Amino acid sequence: MTMTDTAGRARFTELVKLQTQGRRFLDRDQERKLLEEGLTRYGLSLEEAQGLLRGAAQDGDVAMEAELGTSSRQLLRTLADRRNRVARDDFTRAVAFYRARAGGELTDTEARRRVKRLMEEMDLQPRPSGRILRTRRWYRAIDA
């Protein structure tokens, strides 16, 4: 590693700190833009840029959508029943978890959309709910 490599890494880390300042959450597009900067402007490898981004986000207590998705997938997998269905109350818990981990920067509607997208990626189904007529309307009402 040369002196310029070290300087580039340090400058990229400072850029990440600047971009995450005052934030609690980085979505995938913001992550991608920062990684592209690391690759093109600072000459870092993808692994180096990802590591520096993760480290700076962790130091600044900023949640990243990619990592938040991983922990949310694990939670959904745990909440699902044997038939890969998620109950309405469990879905609400997963949304609350997602919002809390995102530092409250997402609205309830945004968090619901993202959790629904995760469920669809994992082929999880909503469990019907209701006292008399058991439907999945609660799930279909969430804008995709």
Side-chain angles (χ1 to χ4, degrees):
M1 181 179 301
T2 65
M3 188 62 154
T4 55
D5 290 344
T6 306
R9 291 169 63 108
R11 288 183 34 232
F12 178 70
T13 302
E14 292 302 313
L15 173 70
V16 171
K17 286 179 185 175
L18 177 67
Q19 293 294 321
T20 58
Q21 201 170 38
R23 287 193 177 154
R24 309 271 21 103
F25 181 72
L26 269 183
D27 67 24
R28 279 195 170 98
D29 290 337
Q30 294 163 331
E31 288 176 41
R32 178 173 279 122
K33 285 177 188 169
L34 284 170
L35 291 173
E36 286 174 2
E37 284 284 314
L39 295 175
T40 57
R41 186 184 292 178
Y42 299 101
L44 302 173
S45 70
L46 181 58
E47 291 78 26
E48 286 176 317
Q50 286 173 328
L52 292 170
L53 178 58
R54 253 188 243 109
Q58 215 169 22
D59 290 347
D61 201 26
V62 176
M64 294 172 42
E65 184 176 3
E67 293 186 2
L68 182 52
T70 301
S71 55
S72 295
R73 279 185 189 86
Q74 291 170 340
L75 177 63
L76 284 167
R77 182 78 62 212
T78 303
L79 295 172
D81 63 14
R82 288 189 306 262
R83 294 167 60 189
N84 284 334
R85 298 180 310 175
V86 177
R88 185 177 190 171
D89 288 345
D90 290 335
F91 180 84
T92 303
R93 284 185 193 94
V95 169
F97 171 81
Y98 199 97
R99 283 194 71 198
R101 289 288 315 264
E105 283 204 15
L106 297 176
T107 65
D108 190 58
T109 305
E110 288 173 320
R112 286 180 175 283
R113 282 187 197 127
R114 290 172 192 242
V115 172
K116 181 178 180 178
R117 190 174 336 123
L118 290 174
M119 280 183 60
E120 289 169 351
E121 289 170 6
M122 298 170 58
D123 289 327
L124 295 175
Q125 300 298 314
R127 193 158 67 207
S129 100
R131 293 181 193 225
I132 298 171
L133 281 176
R134 298 178 59 76
T135 67
R136 294 182 180 99
R137 186 180 304 154
W138 64 270
Y139 184 78
R140 287 193 306 265
I142 301 166
D143 298 332

